[in-house]
Amino acid sequence: MSNNAFEVQVQHFAVLKSKYQATKYEDSSPSSLLYLILRKADLEFEISKFERKWLREHELLETIEAIEQQPQRKAEERRKLDANFSQLKSKFKVTRGLSISSPLYPILWKLDSENQLTDLEVKYLQEQGLTQTVAIAEDMARFAALKAKYQATEYPDCSLDSPLYQILKQLDAREILSDVEANWLFNNQLVDTLEIFWQQKAVREAEFAQLKDKYKASEYPETSVCSPLYQILKNLDADMQLSESELNWLEEYQLSETLNIVLEIEQTRHFAELKVKYKATTYEDSSLSSHLYKVLKKIDLENPLGEPDINFLKKRKLTETMTVAIKKYVASLKSKIQSGEQLSEADIDWLQKLRKNEREDVITFAIDKYAASLKSKIQSGEQLSEADIDWLKQNGREDVITFAQEKEFAALKVKYRIIDRDFPFDPFYAIMVKLEKEERLDPVLVVQLIQQGLLASHGKIAMAYHRLEALFYDREYERTGDKWNLPNASSHWRKADEPESALKVTENLDFDQIKENKLKSALLTTRGGAFRDVDKLDDAQKCALKAIEYQPQSHHPYTLMGAICFERSQFSEGERWFNEAIKRGAKSEDIDSELKQVVKNTKDENKRREVVEYLLKKNPQRYAWAKSYRKRQGGEDAQRKNS
């Protein structure tokens, strides 16, 4: 064996003796049995009984214990490595489950200790799809580069969360540091870095002064680059459009000269944009006083060009601009029409001055389109205004007016519940329109309603008519003071199914002040009828009997008394009062009408049945109409039994 090999073995033996606590064994020769035992233990070979006995004999008990604990130490070391690997993966955002034996572990270890990687190591991370880890590595490299650039390498912390990293990035972007950040540099003894910041600050302050002078803002006293004015002027100098808040700031600090410069810059930029947009770049004059600027603004606002504007464009051979202007305005008018708006007279005059091929029959299109929009408006249930109707008449579209009236007539027939009858458009459309507007009907129209039997029923048309009549007589009484209007108003309120209003117009009357007994009787009779409508039969009877006292020969209060008795099921007494009414001029039709009202208005089914049976037994032919109530009751009774 060569001397070199022997020396290596001697050194190895010494290391193993130290590792396994056998240094007290004096023999250092590689030929010693101890060397063989320690080599086997280090390679995790099992130690034989003979070898253990030899170690005990040489009092190497600590060595035996160290050999026995070797696997445990290795397992513990493995756990430590795993834990460290997990920490590094978490720290550097590793999302893949790569093993500890992969190249990733040493790369992360190096990144954590040296804060930078080689290109080959970065490439490996990219191939593994570890984009977040690559980004962290790049940030760490950038941090190291910034520390070198801004003379902060003596600062030990390389964490990306360090305040220094953010400060250096701000310095590199030539952003202004806050007082807190500047103090942080000072407190951490980064004097050279702080000096660079002060140099940058001095440059910015000089720039700020130049910008204030350039844009007429020198009167603003603040020199600190932290002032909003510094950024505003920088934006202005970079030909950036100022925001509304920046303009408001200038206005708030009364920097009117600066604002004027801003306005001029904005207008100049706007003029240049309009020239390109409307094909007028051949025109060299870019002064804001140029008439072309005014013309282009008109075009952009979709305003029509007048003859002087057209002539201006023609003289300067800006034919493309003129064509674009005309097409744009025609398109805007079409869009206006499409949205349902009506063209103004000025719009129509402008169109009529164009050649037919330029106009493209926009006027006809506008009329048709607007008429269609009105028709759609009608379809959705809206009514035409007076202006709409006038426009349709002026433009020869009476067909839309007719369509609107027919739609409204159909809707009114539904509202007034006359859809099951074939009423002619004329005059019933006019009647219902007047009722809708609460206009009193002319006598001729009232006759039409009477002929159709619409006032004899309790339908919606009759009720609307009687309500208008009641209001008319109310107003007449207020206007003239003539109390004969009161019974008329009360009677119509009752027929309009508003008995409370009928009672109201006849209350608080001082009968001692009324001289005519006929008027007193009429007022009491209609008031009694209203009480009867609200089922206050005792009050109704008092009014009827008092009316008879005032005018014994009038049949009206007797008829009222007959109806009251029938509603109380006092049929014989009721017959007596009806006979007295007939003696005084009442017609059998009047009596039958009251009886029909009794049957119709009775809410108690048993009482109604009692009245019906009484009438049919007395005169089945005269009171045949009561049979319908008998059938109705039978159907209702059957429904109750079935349910």
Side-chain angles (χ1 to χ4, degrees):
M1 183 185 296
S2 66
N3 287 334
N4 285 341
F6 180 79
E7 283 300 322
V8 168
Q9 285 186 331
V10 170
Q11 290 174 6
H12 184 220
F13 189 16
V15 170
L16 291 175
K17 283 166 74 176
S18 174
K19 180 176 180 181
Y20 292 101
Q21 301 182 32
T23 53
K24 66 180 180 179
Y25 186 72
E26 295 179 356
D27 187 356
S28 298
S29 171
S31 61
S32 168
L33 179 58
L34 179 60
Y35 184 37
L36 173 62
I37 294 170
L38 296 182
R39 286 173 66 192
K40 285 177 68 180
D42 207 45
L43 293 170
E44 295 185 356
F45 286 107
E46 188 176 355
I47 304 302
S48 68
K49 291 180 181 179
F50 170 78
E51 290 166 330
R52 286 177 185 277
K53 183 181 177 185
W54 186 91
L55 290 171
R56 286 194 197 94
E57 289 172 350
H58 289 80
E59 298 180 352
L60 294 170
L61 299 177
E62 290 180 351
T63 304
I64 294 171
E65 186 179 352
I67 290 170
E68 288 175 348
Q69 290 179 352
Q70 175 69 356
Q72 186 178 347
R73 282 199 302 272
K74 284 192 174 182
E76 181 64 27
E77 192 62 30
R78 177 62 185 257
R79 282 194 295 274
K80 288 180 180 177
L81 284 173
D82 284 338
N84 183 256
F85 189 31
S86 295
Q87 289 173 356
L88 290 174
K89 286 197 292 183
S90 175
K91 180 176 181 179
F92 295 109
K93 313 291 184 187
V94 174
T95 54
R96 290 194 57 198
L98 294 171
S99 70
I100 197 168
S101 60
S102 73
L104 179 64
Y105 196 2
I107 290 174
L108 297 184
W109 187 286
K110 181 182 175 185
L111 183 59
D112 193 48
S113 59
E114 299 179 15
N115 302 310
Q116 57 185 353
L117 299 177
T118 64
D119 292 343
L120 192 62
E121 289 163 338
V122 171
K123 184 179 179 183
Y124 172 82
L125 294 175
Q126 290 171 335
E127 288 171 349
Q128 297 301 318
L130 301 173
T131 53
Q132 287 183 286
T133 311
V134 171
I136 292 171
E138 289 172 348
D139 266 349
M140 292 178 76
R142 183 186 178 196
F143 190 11
L146 289 173
K147 284 170 80 172
K149 182 177 180 180
Y150 292 101
Q151 302 178 29
T153 51
E154 66 269 23
Y155 187 72
D157 187 0
C158 294
S159 168
L160 296 178
D161 295 327
S162 167
L164 180 61
Y165 185 36
Q166 299 304 319
I167 290 171
L168 295 182
K169 283 196 290 185
Q170 285 178 249
L171 284 178
D172 204 49
R174 298 201 170 270
E175 293 177 2
I176 302 166
L177 296 187
S178 66
D179 290 342
V180 172
E181 290 165 331
N183 288 336
W184 189 93
L185 291 174
F186 180 79
N187 292 334
N188 285 275
Q189 299 179 357
L190 294 169
V191 180
D192 293 337
T193 310
L194 190 59
E195 180 64 32
I196 293 171
F197 161 65
W198 284 331
Q199 289 172 4
Q200 285 186 356
K201 186 178 179 184
V203 170
R204 279 194 294 268
E205 287 175 350
E207 180 190 24
F208 189 18
Q210 291 172 354
L211 289 172
K212 286 206 292 185
D213 184 59
K214 181 177 180 179
Y215 293 105
K216 310 295 183 187
S218 299
E219 62 198 70
Y220 183 70
E222 181 65 61
T223 59
S224 170
V225 290
C226 294
S227 165
L229 180 61
Y230 177 53
Q231 190 58 49
I232 291 173
L233 297 182
K234 277 183 69 178
N235 291 344
L236 192 58
D237 206 51
D239 201 28
M240 291 171 60
Q241 191 166 354
L242 298 189
S243 66
E244 189 173 347
S245 61
E246 289 173 324
L247 293 171
N248 290 339
W249 192 93
L250 292 173
E251 190 171 352
E252 182 183 349
Y253 285 89
Q254 300 179 355
L255 296 170
S256 53
E257 288 188 272
T258 310
L259 275 169
N260 288 335
I261 293 172
V262 173
L263 180 61
E264 189 175 339
I265 290 171
E266 289 295 322
Q267 288 178 332
T268 303
R269 184 189 295 117
H270 185 226
F271 189 10
E273 289 170 355
L274 291 177
K275 275 184 169 186
V276 173
K277 186 175 180 180
Y278 297 111
K279 304 183 185 303
T281 51
T282 56
Y283 190 72
E284 293 181 359
D285 187 0
S286 295
S287 64
L288 297 177
S289 60
S290 166
H291 186 65
L292 178 63
Y293 185 35
K294 296 175 185 176
V295 172
L296 296 182
K297 283 195 290 185
K298 275 188 184 180
I299 298 170
D300 204 50
L301 291 170
E302 295 184 348
N303 292 332
L305 298 184
E307 284 189 36
D309 299 327
I310 297 289
N311 291 334
F312 175 86
L313 295 174
K314 282 180 180 177
K315 285 179 182 178
R316 285 146 188 87
K317 298 181 180 179
L318 295 171
T319 52
E320 281 189 283
T321 306
M322 192 165 55
T323 303
V324 170
I326 291 170
K327 285 183 178 179
K328 185 177 175 66
Y329 190 62
V330 168
S332 76
L333 292 181
K334 274 202 166 186
S335 175
K336 186 177 179 182
I337 296 160
Q338 287 281 13
S339 65
E341 291 186 57
Q342 187 178 347
L343 294 186
S344 66
E345 290 297 326
D347 292 334
I348 294 170
D349 289 343
W350 185 86
L351 285 167
Q352 287 173 337
K353 290 175 183 176
L354 296 179
R355 295 191 303 273
K356 187 173 182 180
N357 63 327
E358 289 175 334
R359 186 169 69 238
E360 298 176 356
D361 296 323
V362 179
I363 297 175
T364 304
F365 174 75
I367 291 171
D368 291 344
K369 191 68 185 176
Y370 193 65
S373 73
L374 291 179
K375 214 168 185 181
S376 176
K377 181 178 175 182
I378 296 160
Q379 287 280 19
S380 66
E382 293 185 56
Q383 289 190 344
L384 296 180
S385 66
E386 290 297 326
D388 292 334
I389 293 169
D390 290 343
W391 185 89
L392 289 165
K393 287 177 180 177
Q394 290 169 8
N395 291 281
R397 293 306 301 266
E398 286 82 359
D399 59 306
V400 179
I401 298 173
T402 303
F403 175 75
Q405 290 174 340
E406 288 172 350
K407 287 286 290 183
E408 187 180 15
F409 185 42
L412 289 172
K413 285 202 293 183
V414 172
K415 179 176 180 179
Y416 288 101
R417 298 182 184 175
I418 55 172
I419 51 177
D420 58 335
R421 297 175 65 177
D422 187 21
F423 287 98
F425 180 84
D426 187 21
F428 287 98
Y429 173 66
I431 289 172
M432 286 188 285
V433 167
K434 276 184 170 290
L435 292 177
E436 282 293 290
K437 294 179 179 178
E438 296 195 344
E439 294 178 4
R440 196 170 179 230
L441 299 184
D442 301 330
V444 175
L445 297 178
V446 177
V447 170
Q448 294 281 355
L449 292 177
I450 294 170
Q451 287 175 347
Q452 291 289 337
L454 290 174
L455 293 187
S457 67
H458 284 78
K460 283 191 169 288
I461 283 186
M463 290 173 68
Y465 163 73
H466 287 301
R467 184 176 180 280
L468 288 175
E469 289 298 299
L471 289 170
F472 169 75
Y473 284 112
D474 278 348
R475 288 192 292 268
E476 281 297 293
Y477 171 67
E478 291 175 5
R479 185 177 67 85
T480 64
D482 185 352
K483 288 185 174 60
W484 272 108
N485 288 298
L486 296 178
N488 287 330
S490 176
S491 176
H492 282 294
W493 280 125
R494 289 187 62 209
K495 291 174 183 177
D497 199 22
E498 295 189 40
E500 291 83 0
S501 298
L503 288 170
K504 190 173 181 179
V505 298
T506 56
E507 68 184 0
N508 300 325
L509 291 173
D510 187 354
F511 281 85
D512 293 336
Q513 297 296 320
I514 301 173
K515 295 179 181 180
E516 294 179 75
N517 285 339
K518 185 177 180 181
L519 175 57
K520 292 179 183 180
S521 180
L523 287 167
L524 286 164
T525 301
T526 187
R527 184 169 176 78
F531 277 128
R532 178 189 155 207
D533 293 339
V534 296
D535 205 26
K536 293 183 177 180
L537 298 182
D538 290 344
D539 291 331
Q541 181 176 326
K542 289 177 185 177
C543 289
L545 293 175
K546 195 71 176 174
I548 290 171
E549 285 183 24
Y550 283 124
Q551 196 178 16
Q553 296 308 312
S554 171
H555 64 81
H556 296 294
Y558 293 91
T559 304
L560 174 59
M561 276 302 302
I564 292 169
C565 290
F566 262 81
E567 289 193 359
R568 288 172 168 167
S569 299
Q570 299 169 350
F571 304 134
S572 298
E573 184 68 11
E575 291 284 5
R576 186 178 72 77
W577 283 108
F578 281 143
N579 287 331
E580 291 297 323
I582 290 171
K583 288 177 185 178
R584 288 163 176 77
K587 296 179 182 179
S588 58
E589 292 85 356
D590 297 332
I591 305 301
D592 290 354
S593 176
E594 289 294 334
L595 289 171
K596 284 180 182 178
Q597 189 175 348
V598 169
V599 173
K600 181 182 177 184
N601 293 345
T602 299
K603 296 182 177 71
D604 189 312
E605 293 297 336
N606 292 326
K607 283 188 176 182
R608 179 185 288 172
R609 185 182 295 109
E610 193 179 351
V611 176
V612 167
E613 294 303 328
Y614 173 81
L615 293 175
L616 289 173
K617 185 176 179 181
K618 181 182 178 184
N619 193 334
Q621 291 181 337
R622 177 177 175 181
Y623 301 116
W625 51 266
K627 291 179 182 178
S628 63
Y629 289 93
R630 175 191 278 173
K631 291 176 183 176
R632 190 184 309 167
Q633 288 168 350
E636 290 170 355
D637 291 342
Q639 283 181 350
R640 290 193 194 98
K641 287 178 182 178
N642 292 333
S643 61

